[in-house]
Coordinates of all heavy atoms in Angstrom, one line a residue:
L1 N 0.6 9.5 2.4 CA 1.0 8.2 2.8 C 0.0 7.6 3.8 O -0.2 6.4 3.7 CB 2.4 8.3 3.2 CG 3.5 8.8 2.2 CD1 4.9 9.0 3.0 CD2 3.7 7.8 1.2
A2 N -0.5 8.5 4.7 CA -1.5 8.0 5.6 C -2.7 7.4 4.9 O -3.3 6.4 5.3 CB -1.8 9.0 6.6
E3 N -3.2 8.1 3.9 CA -4.3 7.7 3.0 C -4.0 6.3 2.4 O -4.9 5.4 2.4 CB -4.7 8.6 2.0 CG -5.4 9.9 2.6 CD -5.7 10.9 1.5 OE1 -5.1 11.0 0.5 OE2 -6.7 11.7 1.6
H4 N -2.9 6.1 1.9 CA -2.4 4.8 1.4 C -2.4 3.7 2.3 O -2.8 2.6 2.2 CB -1.0 5.0 0.7 CG -1.2 5.6 -0.7 ND1 -1.6 5.0 -1.8 CD2 -1.0 6.9 -1.1 CE1 -1.6 5.7 -2.9 NE2 -1.3 6.9 -2.5
D5 N -1.9 4.0 3.6 CA -1.8 3.1 4.6 C -3.2 2.6 5.1 O -3.5 1.5 5.3 CB -1.1 3.6 5.8 CG 0.4 3.8 5.5 OD1 1.0 3.2 4.8 OD2 1.1 4.5 6.4
Q6 N -4.1 3.6 5.1 CA -5.5 3.3 5.4 C -6.2 2.4 4.4 O -6.9 1.5 4.7 CB -6.3 4.6 5.7 CG -7.7 4.3 6.1 CD -7.9 3.5 7.5 OE1 -7.2 3.9 8.5 NE2 -8.5 2.4 7.4
H7 N -5.9 2.8 3.1 CA -6.5 2.0 2.1 C -6.0 0.6 2.1 O -6.7 -0.4 2.0 CB -6.0 2.6 0.7 CG -6.5 1.9 -0.5 ND1 -7.8 1.6 -0.8 CD2 -5.8 1.1 -1.4 CE1 -7.8 0.9 -2.0 NE2 -6.6 0.6 -2.3
A8 N -4.8 0.3 2.4 CA -4.1 -1.0 2.6 C -4.8 -1.7 3.7 O -5.1 -2.9 3.6 CB -2.6 -0.9 2.8
A9 N -4.9 -0.9 4.8 CA -5.5 -1.7 6.0 C -7.0 -2.0 5.6 O -7.4 -3.2 6.2 CB -5.6 -0.7 7.2
D10 N -7.7 -1.3 5.0 CA -9.0 -1.6 4.6 C -9.1 -2.9 3.6 O -10.0 -3.8 3.8 CB -9.7 -0.4 3.8 CG -10.0 0.7 4.6 OD1 -9.9 0.6 5.9 OD2 -10.2 1.8 4.1
L11 N -8.1 -3.0 2.7 CA -8.1 -4.2 1.9 C -7.8 -5.4 2.6 O -8.2 -6.5 2.4 CB -7.1 -3.9 0.7 CG -7.5 -2.9 -0.4 CD1 -6.4 -2.6 -1.5 CD2 -8.9 -3.2 -1.0
I12 N -6.8 -5.2 3.6 CA -6.3 -6.3 4.4 C -7.6 -6.8 5.2 O -8.0 -8.0 5.2 CB -5.3 -5.9 5.3 CG1 -4.0 -5.9 4.5 CG2 -5.1 -7.1 6.4 CD1 -2.8 -5.2 5.3
A13 N -8.3 -6.0 5.8 CA -9.5 -6.2 6.6 C -10.6 -6.9 5.8 O -11.3 -7.8 6.3 CB -10.1 -5.0 7.3
S14 N -10.8 -6.5 4.5 CA -11.7 -7.1 3.7 C -11.3 -8.5 3.0 O -12.2 -9.2 2.5 CB -12.0 -6.2 2.4 OG -11.0 -6.2 1.5
G15 N -10.1 -8.8 3.2 CA -9.6 -10.1 2.6 C -9.3 -10.0 1.2 O -8.8 -11.0 0.6
S16 N -9.3 -8.9 0.7 CA -9.0 -8.7 -0.9 C -7.6 -8.7 -1.1 O -7.1 -9.1 -2.2 CB -9.6 -7.4 -1.4 OG -11.0 -7.5 -1.3
L17 N -6.7 -8.3 -0.2 CA -5.3 -8.1 -0.5 C -4.6 -9.3 -0.3 O -4.6 -9.9 0.8 CB -4.8 -6.9 0.4 CG -3.3 -6.4 0.0 CD1 -3.2 -5.8 -1.4 CD2 -2.9 -5.3 1.1
V18 N -3.9 -9.7 -1.4 CA -3.0 -10.9 -1.4 C -1.5 -10.5 -1.0 O -0.9 -11.1 -0.2 CB -3.0 -11.5 -2.6 CG1 -2.0 -12.8 -2.6 CG2 -4.4 -12.1 -2.9
A19 N -1.1 -9.4 -1.6 CA 0.3 -8.9 -1.3 C 0.4 -7.5 -1.8 O -0.4 -7.1 -2.6 CB 1.3 -9.7 -2.1
A20 N 1.3 -6.7 -1.2 CA 1.5 -5.4 -1.6 C 2.8 -5.0 -1.2 O 3.6 -5.4 -0.4 CB 0.6 -4.4 -0.8
F21 N 3.5 -4.1 -2.2 CA 4.8 -3.7 -2.2 C 4.9 -2.2 -2.5 O 4.4 -1.8 -3.5 CB 5.8 -4.5 -3.1 CG 5.6 -5.9 -2.9 CD1 4.8 -6.7 -3.6 CD2 6.5 -6.6 -1.9 CE1 4.6 -8.0 -3.2 CE2 6.4 -8.0 -1.7 CZ 5.4 -8.8 -2.5
A22 N 5.7 -1.4 -1.6 CA 5.9 0.0 -2.0 C 7.3 0.0 -2.6 O 8.2 -0.8 -2.0 CB 5.9 0.8 -0.7
L23 N 7.7 0.7 -3.6 CA 8.9 0.8 -4.2 C 9.6 2.1 -3.8 O 9.0 3.1 -3.6 CB 8.8 0.7 -5.7 CG 8.0 -0.7 -6.2 CD1 8.0 -0.6 -7.6 CD2 8.8 -1.8 -5.7
T24 N 11.0 2.1 -3.9 CA 11.8 3.3 -3.6 C 11.5 4.2 -4.8 O 11.1 3.9 -5.8 CB 13.3 3.0 -3.4 OG1 13.7 2.4 -4.6 CG2 13.5 2.0 -2.4
P25 N 11.8 5.5 -4.5 CA 11.7 6.5 -5.7 C 12.6 6.1 -6.8 O 13.7 5.5 -6.7 CB 12.2 7.8 -5.0 CG 12.2 7.6 -3.6 CD 12.4 6.2 -3.3
P26 N 12.2 6.6 -8.0 CA 13.0 6.2 -9.2 C 14.5 6.8 -9.2 O 15.4 6.2 -9.9 CB 12.2 7.0 -10.4 CG 11.4 8.0 -9.7 CD 11.2 7.4 -8.3
E27 N 14.8 7.7 -8.4 CA 16.2 8.2 -8.2 C 17.2 7.1 -7.7 O 18.4 7.3 -8.0 CB 16.3 9.3 -7.3 CG 15.6 10.7 -7.8 CD 14.1 10.6 -7.5 OE1 13.7 9.9 -6.5 OE2 13.3 11.2 -8.2
V28 N 16.7 6.1 -7.1 CA 17.6 5.1 -6.6 C 17.5 3.7 -7.4 O 18.0 2.7 -7.1 CB 17.3 4.7 -5.0 CG1 17.8 5.9 -4.3 CG2 15.9 4.2 -4.9

């Protein structure tokens, strides 16, 4: 999860990320 958070932070800093959403597990 920390790697995903860092990747998102990198995309935000680069200006590439427009929107992002994490979804709950399929069990719910």
Side-chain angles (χ1 to χ4, degrees):
L1 296 175
E3 288 181 331
H4 283 278
D5 288 345
Q6 183 59 56
H7 178 64
D10 292 346
L11 291 178
I12 291 167
S14 75
S16 298
L17 190 62
V18 174
F21 305 91
L23 304 176
T24 58
E27 296 79 26
V28 296

